Amino acid sequence: MTTLVFRPKKIRRVAWACAIGLVAVFTVVGLLLGNTPTGVIFRTSDQVAMIILGFLLAGGVLLLTRPRVTADASGVDVRNVVTSHHFDWKDVLSVSFPDGAAWARLELPEDEYISVMAVQAVDREYAVSSVRALRELHKAAQNQR
């Protein structure tokens, strides 16, 4: 049984670069806070808080690296930034990528859909091949019924 796993490519590189930049900038600012000629007194706790804030912001940015879709013959698991869902292929009407959309989606009954943030338009050919592979799995599952 073949299991396919797709994760976004470009946003992962950008998010890691931003996270590293945030940590670096907030660390430098935190360390330089003690030497200000403004008359404001910054304590060590203020410096540590600034560095911790950099790490917290970096963690928030790294949430963008979380999306993943895992699919096999039985169904598909979609993990977006905050939510995760599992669908059997029998519950999925189609895999689509509407014109102008940022990411693919699974069309569900009753005009509902779930965004698949792991397959993003900015990834171009990777996104196209990912949607095609998901459609093939969906089609194979539909033919087995």
Side-chain angles (χ1 to χ4, degrees):
M1 179 179 350
T2 303
T3 300
L4 302 176
V5 178
F6 301 109
R7 298 188 72 170
K9 293 195 177 283
K10 287 185 181 179
I11 193 68
R12 290 174 67 201
R13 289 191 299 265
V14 170
W16 273 104
C18 288
I20 291 168
L22 281 167
V23 168
V25 167
F26 275 80
T27 300
V28 168
V29 169
L31 294 175
L32 295 177
L33 272 180
N35 300 327
T36 59
T38 62
V40 178
I41 299 171
F42 291 103
R43 299 192 191 313
T44 304
S45 61
D46 298 320
Q47 293 174 300
V48 171
M50 185 63 72
I51 294 169
I52 290 172
L53 181 61
F55 277 97
L56 289 173
L57 290 172
V61 168
L62 288 178
L63 282 175
L64 297 174
T65 65
R66 191 171 185 271
R68 180 180 72 198
V69 61
T70 306
D72 59 21
S74 64
V76 59
D77 291 311
V78 178
R79 184 175 75 185
N80 288 330
V81 174
V82 180
T83 61
S84 295
H85 302 279
H86 172 78
F87 298 99
D88 292 330
W89 284 120
K90 64 180 176 58
D91 299 327
V92 176
L93 299 178
S94 67
V95 178
S96 67
F97 209 127
D99 287 340
W103 41 71
R105 64 190 199 182
L106 300 178
E107 303 291 340
L108 304 172
E110 299 181 18
D111 291 329
E112 293 186 25
Y113 66 89
I114 185 81
S115 296
V116 181
M117 296 178 75
V119 182
Q120 300 184 356
V122 296
D123 289 332
R124 300 191 185 274
E125 288 303 316
Y126 178 73
V128 171
S129 64
S130 300
V131 168
R132 286 182 180 155
L134 289 171
R135 285 178 178 164
E136 286 297 318
L137 273 176
H138 180 253
K139 183 179 178 182
Q142 296 299 322
N143 290 338
Q144 286 181 356
R145 288 199 287 166

Short mmCIF file of all heavy atoms in Angstrom, two decimals, residues 106-132:
data_model
loop_
_atom_site.label_atom_id
_atom_site.label_comp_id
_atom_site.label_asym_id
_atom_site.label_seq_id
_atom_site.Cartn_x
_atom_site.Cartn_y
_atom_site.Cartn_z
N LEU A 106 -10.23 19.71 -0.40
CA LEU A 106 -11.03 18.50 -0.56
C LEU A 106 -12.49 18.93 -0.55
O LEU A 106 -12.95 19.57 0.39
CB LEU A 106 -10.78 17.52 0.59
CG LEU A 106 -9.37 17.00 0.78
CD1 LEU A 106 -9.32 16.08 2.00
CD2 LEU A 106 -8.87 16.29 -0.45
N GLU A 107 -13.19 18.58 -1.61
CA GLU A 107 -14.63 18.89 -1.70
C GLU A 107 -15.39 17.80 -0.96
O GLU A 107 -15.19 16.61 -1.20
CB GLU A 107 -15.07 18.95 -3.15
CG GLU A 107 -14.30 19.95 -4.01
CD GLU A 107 -14.58 21.41 -3.66
OE1 GLU A 107 -15.62 21.68 -3.03
OE2 GLU A 107 -13.75 22.26 -4.01
N LEU A 108 -16.26 18.22 -0.05
CA LEU A 108 -17.02 17.31 0.79
C LEU A 108 -18.51 17.43 0.48
O LEU A 108 -18.92 18.39 -0.17
CB LEU A 108 -16.75 17.63 2.26
CG LEU A 108 -15.28 17.60 2.68
CD1 LEU A 108 -15.12 18.12 4.10
CD2 LEU A 108 -14.70 16.21 2.55
N PRO A 109 -19.33 16.51 0.95
CA PRO A 109 -20.77 16.61 0.72
C PRO A 109 -21.36 17.89 1.32
O PRO A 109 -20.77 18.50 2.22
CB PRO A 109 -21.33 15.37 1.43
CG PRO A 109 -20.18 14.42 1.50
CD PRO A 109 -18.96 15.28 1.63
N GLU A 110 -22.52 18.26 0.82
CA GLU A 110 -23.27 19.42 1.29
C GLU A 110 -22.51 20.74 1.12
O GLU A 110 -22.53 21.60 2.01
CB GLU A 110 -23.72 19.21 2.75
CG GLU A 110 -24.62 18.00 2.93
CD GLU A 110 -25.08 17.82 4.35
OE1 GLU A 110 -25.00 18.77 5.15
OE2 GLU A 110 -25.52 16.70 4.67
N ASP A 111 -21.83 20.89 0.00
CA ASP A 111 -21.11 22.12 -0.36
C ASP A 111 -20.06 22.54 0.66
O ASP A 111 -19.74 23.72 0.81
CB ASP A 111 -22.08 23.28 -0.59
CG ASP A 111 -22.92 23.08 -1.83
OD1 ASP A 111 -22.41 22.45 -2.77
OD2 ASP A 111 -24.06 23.54 -1.85
N GLU A 112 -19.52 21.60 1.39
CA GLU A 112 -18.46 21.89 2.33
C GLU A 112 -17.12 21.51 1.71
O GLU A 112 -17.06 20.73 0.76
CB GLU A 112 -18.67 21.13 3.64
CG GLU A 112 -19.88 21.58 4.42
CD GLU A 112 -19.98 20.90 5.77
OE1 GLU A 112 -18.94 20.46 6.30
OE2 GLU A 112 -21.09 20.83 6.29
N TYR A 113 -16.06 22.07 2.25
CA TYR A 113 -14.72 21.71 1.80
C TYR A 113 -13.74 21.95 2.93
O TYR A 113 -14.03 22.66 3.88
CB TYR A 113 -14.30 22.49 0.55
CG TYR A 113 -14.13 23.98 0.77
CD1 TYR A 113 -12.91 24.51 1.17
CD2 TYR A 113 -15.19 24.86 0.56
CE1 TYR A 113 -12.76 25.87 1.37
CE2 TYR A 113 -15.05 26.21 0.76
CZ TYR A 113 -13.81 26.72 1.16
OH TYR A 113 -13.68 28.07 1.37
N ILE A 114 -12.58 21.31 2.83
CA ILE A 114 -11.49 21.52 3.78
C ILE A 114 -10.26 21.93 2.99
O ILE A 114 -9.92 21.33 1.99
CB ILE A 114 -11.23 20.25 4.64
CG1 ILE A 114 -10.17 20.50 5.70
CG2 ILE A 114 -10.81 19.09 3.80
CD1 ILE A 114 -10.71 21.18 6.91
N SER A 115 -9.63 23.00 3.41
CA SER A 115 -8.41 23.47 2.75
C SER A 115 -7.26 22.52 3.05
O SER A 115 -7.13 22.03 4.17
CB SER A 115 -8.06 24.87 3.22
OG SER A 115 -9.06 25.78 2.86
N VAL A 116 -6.44 22.29 2.05
CA VAL A 116 -5.25 21.46 2.20
C VAL A 116 -4.06 22.40 2.09
O VAL A 116 -3.51 22.61 1.00
CB VAL A 116 -5.20 20.35 1.13
CG1 VAL A 116 -3.97 19.47 1.33
CG2 VAL A 116 -6.47 19.52 1.17
N MET A 117 -3.66 22.98 3.21
CA MET A 117 -2.62 24.00 3.20
C MET A 117 -1.24 23.44 2.86
O MET A 117 -0.32 24.20 2.58
CB MET A 117 -2.58 24.72 4.54
CG MET A 117 -3.87 25.49 4.83
SD MET A 117 -3.86 26.29 6.43
CE MET A 117 -2.76 27.65 6.11
N ALA A 118 -1.09 22.14 2.86
CA ALA A 118 0.18 21.53 2.51
C ALA A 118 0.45 21.59 1.01
O ALA A 118 1.59 21.45 0.57
CB ALA A 118 0.21 20.08 2.97
N VAL A 119 -0.59 21.82 0.23
CA VAL A 119 -0.45 21.91 -1.23
C VAL A 119 -0.75 23.36 -1.61
O VAL A 119 -1.90 23.74 -1.74
CB VAL A 119 -1.39 20.92 -1.95
CG1 VAL A 119 -1.20 21.00 -3.44
CG2 VAL A 119 -1.16 19.50 -1.44
N GLN A 120 0.31 24.15 -1.75
CA GLN A 120 0.17 25.59 -1.95
C GLN A 120 0.53 26.01 -3.37
O GLN A 120 1.44 25.47 -3.98
CB GLN A 120 1.06 26.34 -0.96
CG GLN A 120 0.69 26.03 0.47
CD GLN A 120 1.49 26.83 1.47
OE1 GLN A 120 2.39 27.58 1.12
NE2 GLN A 120 1.15 26.66 2.74
N ALA A 121 -0.19 27.02 -3.85
CA ALA A 121 0.01 27.50 -5.22
C ALA A 121 1.43 28.00 -5.46
O ALA A 121 1.96 27.86 -6.57
CB ALA A 121 -1.00 28.61 -5.54
N VAL A 122 2.06 28.56 -4.45
CA VAL A 122 3.42 29.09 -4.64
C VAL A 122 4.44 28.00 -4.93
O VAL A 122 5.54 28.30 -5.41
CB VAL A 122 3.88 29.95 -3.43
CG1 VAL A 122 3.03 31.17 -3.28
CG2 VAL A 122 3.91 29.13 -2.16
N ASP A 123 4.09 26.76 -4.67
CA ASP A 123 4.99 25.64 -4.95
C ASP A 123 4.89 25.15 -6.40
O ASP A 123 5.57 24.20 -6.77
CB ASP A 123 4.75 24.49 -3.97
CG ASP A 123 5.22 24.82 -2.58
OD1 ASP A 123 6.16 25.61 -2.42
OD2 ASP A 123 4.63 24.27 -1.61
N ARG A 124 4.04 25.74 -7.18
CA ARG A 124 3.85 25.51 -8.61
C ARG A 124 3.81 24.04 -9.01
O ARG A 124 2.86 23.35 -8.76
CB ARG A 124 4.89 26.28 -9.41
CG ARG A 124 4.79 27.78 -9.17
CD ARG A 124 5.64 28.55 -10.14
NE ARG A 124 5.63 29.96 -9.82
CZ ARG A 124 4.71 30.81 -10.25
NH1 ARG A 124 3.73 30.39 -11.00
NH2 ARG A 124 4.78 32.09 -9.93
N GLU A 125 4.84 23.53 -9.66
CA GLU A 125 4.83 22.16 -10.20
C GLU A 125 4.67 21.11 -9.11
O GLU A 125 4.04 20.09 -9.32
CB GLU A 125 6.10 21.88 -11.02
CG GLU A 125 6.13 22.62 -12.34
CD GLU A 125 4.91 22.31 -13.20
OE1 GLU A 125 4.51 21.12 -13.31
OE2 GLU A 125 4.34 23.26 -13.78
N TYR A 126 5.25 21.36 -7.96
CA TYR A 126 5.08 20.44 -6.83
C TYR A 126 3.61 20.37 -6.44
O TYR A 126 3.09 19.29 -6.16
CB TYR A 126 5.95 20.91 -5.64
CG TYR A 126 5.80 20.05 -4.42
CD1 TYR A 126 6.35 18.77 -4.37
CD2 TYR A 126 5.12 20.51 -3.30
CE1 TYR A 126 6.22 17.99 -3.23
CE2 TYR A 126 4.99 19.74 -2.16
CZ TYR A 126 5.54 18.48 -2.13
OH TYR A 126 5.41 17.71 -1.01
N ALA A 127 2.93 21.50 -6.44
CA ALA A 127 1.50 21.53 -6.12
C ALA A 127 0.70 20.77 -7.17
O ALA A 127 -0.22 20.01 -6.84
CB ALA A 127 1.00 22.97 -6.00
N VAL A 128 1.04 20.96 -8.43
CA VAL A 128 0.33 20.27 -9.51
C VAL A 128 0.50 18.76 -9.38
O VAL A 128 -0.47 18.00 -9.45
CB VAL A 128 0.84 20.77 -10.90
CG1 VAL A 128 0.29 19.91 -12.02
CG2 VAL A 128 0.48 22.23 -11.09
N SER A 129 1.73 18.32 -9.17
CA SER A 129 1.96 16.88 -9.05
C SER A 129 1.30 16.31 -7.79
O SER A 129 0.82 15.18 -7.79
CB SER A 129 3.45 16.56 -9.08
OG SER A 129 4.10 17.12 -7.96
N SER A 130 1.26 17.09 -6.72
CA SER A 130 0.61 16.65 -5.48
C SER A 130 -0.89 16.46 -5.69
O SER A 130 -1.46 15.46 -5.27
CB SER A 130 0.84 17.67 -4.36
OG SER A 130 2.21 17.81 -4.10
N VAL A 131 -1.53 17.42 -6.35
CA VAL A 131 -2.97 17.32 -6.61
C VAL A 131 -3.26 16.14 -7.52
O VAL A 131 -4.21 15.38 -7.30
CB VAL A 131 -3.53 18.64 -7.19
CG1 VAL A 131 -4.93 18.46 -7.72
CG2 VAL A 131 -3.50 19.73 -6.13
N ARG A 132 -2.43 15.96 -8.52
CA ARG A 132 -2.63 14.82 -9.43
C ARG A 132 -2.52 13.49 -8.68
O ARG A 132 -3.31 12.57 -8.90
CB ARG A 132 -1.62 14.87 -10.58
CG ARG A 132 -1.96 15.92 -11.59
CD ARG A 132 -0.98 15.94 -12.74
NE ARG A 132 -1.36 16.97 -13.70
CZ ARG A 132 -0.53 17.56 -14.53
NH1 ARG A 132 0.75 17.22 -14.54
NH2 ARG A 132 -0.96 18.48 -15.36
#
